[in-house]
Amino acid sequence: LAFCRGRVVRVPRGPLIRVVGTEVMIPCSVSDYDGPSEQNFDWEFSRDTDYLRIVSTWDPTFTSEEYQKRVGHGDIKLRRSSNDAVELVIRNIQPTDQGRYKCSTPSTDATVQGNYDAEVQVKVIPDGLLVSGSKARSSTSLKLSEGDSFKLRCSAITTSPEHTHLHVTWQIKNGLSWQDILSLTHEGKFQPGPGYEERYRDGDIRLDTGANDTYQLSVSQASPVDGGVYRCLVSEWVRGADSSWQKIQEKSVEIANVAIQRTDVLISTSNLSVTERDSLDLTCNITTDRSGIFQAEVTWYFSESPGDALSDAQVLLSMDHDSVVSDSTLISLSRVDRNSYRLLVRDVDVEDSGYYFCQAAVWVPQHNGSWHKVVERTSAPVSVVVTALEPDYEVFLNASKTPKFSDDPTELECRITNVQDTEANIRFAVSWYYRQHLRSDDVVTEELLATMDADWTLLLGDRSRERTQNGEIIFSKKAVDTFSLRIQWTSESDRGDYFCVISAWSRHRNNSWIKSKDVTSASVSILWATQDYALTVEAVKLKSFFVAGHTFEMTCKVSSKNIKTPRYSVLITAEKPLTDQSNPNGTTRIISLNQDSVVRLEDWTDQTRVDGVVLEKVQENEFRYRMYQTQISDAGLYRCVVTAWSPGGGGMWREAVNGLSNPIQIDFQTSGPVFNVSVHSDNPTIYQGELADLLCIITMDGMALEPDDMSFDVSWFAVRSFALDREPVLLASVDRRGIVTQSRRNGSSDLSLERISPLEFRLRVHSCEDHDFGNHYCMVTPWVRSATGVWQREPDIKAKPIFLSVKMDVLNAFKYPLLIGIGLATVIGLLSCLIGYCSSRWCCKKEVQETRRERRRLMSMEMD
């Protein structure tokens, strides 16, 4: 079938039945063609046998003389819908247009295949559709009330000679466009319009057929959205040759203009703000133009906020359409007239402040004597404010105790004076506030210290919570009209302004307490004369000259001003020279003594001299530091860092000021040797699995020493990068006693560290792996024995790194895989040969049986 594929021109299956005077569109498309994507089309018409040229997409002279006028006026035209499809449009089709229409496409194919034209029969029938209203005039006007019902009728009949079906749709226009309400389709199905589905299911909208081809629209429970212009839209449909439905014409007629009068519910009141214990009077008015018999059902609601839903609001009172009122003691509901209902709330309370609204429903009588609810509306909420009866009083704040120095007590008293017009059910509560005192005009917000409620419950603020729990701040109520605040130990952070707020709480009908009034006192400033703390520290070196191995001793004398009964904590620090590589930060914390005379070693890490430093308190303001058996590595600047402490509240100490002494220098004048360190390797580039040898060589300049008078601590490090931008990793170390320590390793390679001569240490990396590459160096700490037999530690020396490169041995890496592969191939080949031989020898052998020959002699011709 693929070889028979060619151009295909398609038109609809005929005949196409159309109504005279309507617009006809006949589509034509082409597919499976070659050449350009945009194809041209020619249309021709024939009543009998000859064809007349109508219009073409590519040749303006194609049109016959009979059609030139209609084509020129646009009554007949071509409308392109895509590159391979067009539509022939005929406006106001006439019976003379009945016949065969042929659509042709000029060839653009390389070979002629398929069909290049297609025909369709068009049949023109007379207009037999008649649509009219129920009365002689075109439309009527209806004025209805909300909730009423109404019916509209239209008539639709057709006398078409063809078997056609009618599609009837009722529409409404209350804006710019028409909207479908309900339809009876040409297939006999009811179809509600958008937004009318629920009302159709509830039966409020119906479409009924009657005699004389009438279609009646019934609307119940009319609402304001049902107001507008109604029309009846009727379309005529016929089933085509392909069994699909086709709309052949459409007509409409306006039936009525319906106006719906809305029913509104309003609240009228003259007192939106009332005083406590007075009465609240509200009236619910129903606005409607309904003149017949009706009854109203009214319900009053109360809500604390205007946005609450009706289900969340509180029902106050209700009256049904039989004028039966629900019972209440302080609230009454009465009917003033036919459209007005009054709500009266007596002895209002502050809790009655909120939003009031009413809901009204209109009921009308039915023919069977029952009542039917036609409309229900809810009024807008009305805000009602009930003003409480406030008591009259004044508040006075007095400082009974003020501090003269830091840590002195402070006591404030907040008194209620000139109390008038207060009832027995009034309670007072106090709130204490603090505001930082500033001399400038900057605005500082106050901080809540504590609140004592009407039931004497104490609520603490963030600023005073911890100190109150520790007993440093005390809140109390000394009398009915007196509240006090006491700070046991006043600190610098307590300097500022204080004020109190007295709140009056009133008891209400439900025995609840509601705050009715706040009165704020004048602020009281808590300040005292202060002077800045002063601290001076002097360090003195007791021995002006000493050598290595002797005891270093210095004292720190402290003097302070404006600090009440101070105590001191001392820290000894040392600033080592920049050449000392053991402490690249420069400053070392050695030993400290706190204000309670507790000694603590800080960063002193020399395990052999744990007891080599001593810090003691000689006098209240004098401290002495000793360092025994000093080493050359102890050279540097030594200082005393002193902190002055003053007693705080609750037996605690608080920091007052810090001071730093003058530096005391330790400098050793020696003429001993100078050590240098270097790293050497005969082969820094190795292959995986080989042995790497690294030598740490120590050289001396100056005075020569005996091997027994010097010893070394050697540590090897590696930096796993090319640019020394990572932290060094300790590989192994050996101390001056010959004890070797190795770090934990993750790979399969191993390390060994040994001393091969008095000044040479060798590091070996066995079975090197690729992660053993990097910069390697050694760190050496020399130890020299002095003439007195004391070992002195020299400064640490770091060698220049050497880069160790580890390469992969390609031959060794592939040797074993190649041997294993050749062996496996040989075994598999021999096994295949053995299997083939066995199969041919025993499994595939065939036995051939020879045909037995009969031993018969030939007969002689004579016997024949």
Side-chain angles (χ1 to χ4, degrees), residues 402-416:
T402 57
K404 297 182 180 179
F405 301 98
S406 178
D407 300 328
D408 286 349
T410 300
E411 187 170 357
L412 304 177
E413 291 185 353
C414 185
R415 295 180 179 272
I416 306 173

Side-chain angles (χ1 to χ4, degrees), residues 833-849:
C833 294
L834 180 60
I835 293 174
Y837 174 76
C838 294
S839 299
S840 63
R841 183 68 178 85
W842 289 287
C843 298
C844 302
K845 183 178 180 181
K846 296 182 179 180
E847 295 182 358
V848 180
Q849 296 180 359

Side-chain angles (χ1 to χ4, degrees), residues 292-436:
I293 299 175
F294 71 91
Q295 293 290 342
E297 178 183 359
V298 178
T299 304
W300 280 92
Y301 292 90
F302 170 77
S303 175
E304 294 182 356
S305 62
D308 287 350
L310 191 65
S311 58
D312 299 332
Q314 176 186 354
V315 179
L316 299 178
L317 276 181
S318 63
M319 177 186 292
D320 60 10
H321 60 274
D322 294 329
S323 299
V324 178
V325 182
S326 56
D327 189 17
S328 180
T329 304
L330 299 177
I331 306 176
S332 63
L333 177 60
S334 60
R335 179 176 178 179
V336 180
D337 54 31
R338 186 182 184 185
N339 297 332
S340 301
Y341 296 84
R342 179 188 180 190
L343 175 70
L344 182 63
V345 182
R346 294 177 293 271
D347 192 19
V348 295
D349 204 338
V350 177
E351 295 180 348
D352 297 326
S353 297
Y355 295 87
Y356 292 77
F357 55 96
C358 65
Q359 185 183 60
V362 177
W363 295 71
V364 296
Q366 301 283 356
H367 298 291
N368 57 2
S370 62
W371 289 85
H372 173 64
K373 182 168 66 174
V374 295
V375 67
E376 187 176 57
R377 284 286 181 273
T378 302
S379 69
V382 173
S383 176
V384 176
V385 178
V386 179
T387 305
L389 293 174
E390 296 183 354
D392 188 11
Y393 59 93
E394 296 179 359
V395 177
F396 176 73
L397 180 62
N398 177 41
S400 57
K401 291 183 180 181
T402 57
K404 297 182 180 179
F405 301 98
S406 178
D407 300 328
D408 286 349
T410 300
E411 187 170 357
L412 304 177
E413 291 185 353
C414 185
R415 295 180 179 272
I416 306 173
T417 60
N418 300 329
V419 181
Q420 298 178 4
D421 299 332
T422 57
E423 303 177 1
N425 53 356
I426 295 284
R427 286 183 180 179
F428 293 102
V430 63
S431 298
W432 292 94
Y433 291 89
Y434 164 80
R435 183 169 52 237
Q436 186 179 1

